[in-house]
Amino acid sequence: DDVVILPAFGVTIRELEGLASSGCTLVDTTCGSVLNVWKNVRQYARDGYTAVIHGKVKHEETQATASQARVTDNGRYVIVLDRTEAELLCDYITEKIPLDTFQSHFRGACSPDFDPRRDLARVGLANQTTMLMSESLEIGQLVRRAMITRYGEQTIGEHFQAFDTICSATQDRQDAIQTLLDNADLDLAIIIGGYNSSNTRNLAKICARKITTYHIAEPSCLTSAIELRHLPPTATGGSIVEHVKRNWLPDTGTLSIGVSAGASTPDNIVGEVISRLAELAK
């Protein structure tokens, strides 16, 4: 029999049904944090709440979570990428923008037959588990305030729900890198992980706010003390174009380099990068 391994970020209900009907053997490695999100999103659907999902529309995990919001006939979802999109959603809730503005922007990011006049009266927050926790919390507060403005503080429980759904491994890394930035005098940071990894890219963004940061995919990206291949932390959306940086390693004597890695980056890869850095910085 064919064996299919389901990835940590899960698959959509339709994909799962297709695999199950094919007769193959399924090995389910879906992350527990993702399963927790699905459980809550399904509950939203059963209770008549629209899931507002903080995530990337085309990301496999977000697509899988959105499918869970459709477990009932009246299940609804809308996906917001960041604070800017959340503010636009809130502007519609508080009647600052017209219906057509909302629909033109969120076309392709909503459930079929989504009607914001009906479907944004009761909402529940969820997120792709590898997004920035700080941004997810901020979006939650924005939406909550918008619902209070529209419906009043007294009935907020009837119109808004939220829960913590960031992956623990992702959050541990975000917390650790923030602690490192706050307590160490670093010259630069190296973040290791796949260029299509959401949690790795978010680590790079956190670091880049404070110090020079290079997101590399593997040890070979450290070509020499002169040249390095990396994905800029400013890369947006699905833009994955590796850049070459020359003179990346400061020639100023003793260096302090921060190193972190995405949740799925193997320990041996991290070790090889550290060894390579020690070799280049001699």
Side-chain angles (χ1 to χ4, degrees), residues 100-173:
D100 58 351
T101 299
F102 177 92
Q103 291 177 322
S104 65
H105 184 87
F106 287 99
R107 186 177 294 114
C110 298
S111 50
D113 302 321
F114 188 88
D115 184 346
R117 293 166 295 188
R118 174 195 63 201
D119 299 329
L120 291 179
R122 305 179 80 206
V123 301
L125 266 291
N127 56 267
Q128 182 182 316
T129 60
T130 53
M131 301 301 280
L132 279 172
M133 169 64 89
S134 58
E135 189 172 41
S136 290
L137 292 174
E138 189 176 18
I139 287 171
Q141 289 301 312
L142 284 171
V143 177
R144 185 178 189 277
R145 286 197 296 268
M147 299 304 275
I148 290 173
T149 298
R150 180 71 182 271
Y151 299 104
E153 181 82 52
Q154 294 76 15
T155 60
I156 186 60
E158 299 175 18
H159 296 278
F160 176 83
Q161 292 190 10
F163 55 90
D164 176 6
T165 59
I166 288 291
C167 164
S168 58
T170 295
Q171 189 57 45
D172 288 347
R173 282 162 173 75

Side-chain angles (χ1 to χ4, degrees), residues 49-51 69-70 73-78 111-114 118-119:
Y49 287 80
T50 292
R70 300 285 290 164
D73 291 340
N74 64 342
R76 303 284 187 269
Y77 67 84
V78 58
S111 50
D113 302 321
F114 188 88
R118 174 195 63 201
D119 299 329

Side-chain angles (χ1 to χ4, degrees), residues 38-49 68 71 161:
W38 292 359
K39 178 186 72 175
N40 286 279
V41 165
R42 289 194 297 268
Q43 191 62 52
Y44 285 160
R46 287 190 288 267
D47 293 343
Y49 287 80
Q68 296 290 328
V71 294
Q161 292 190 10

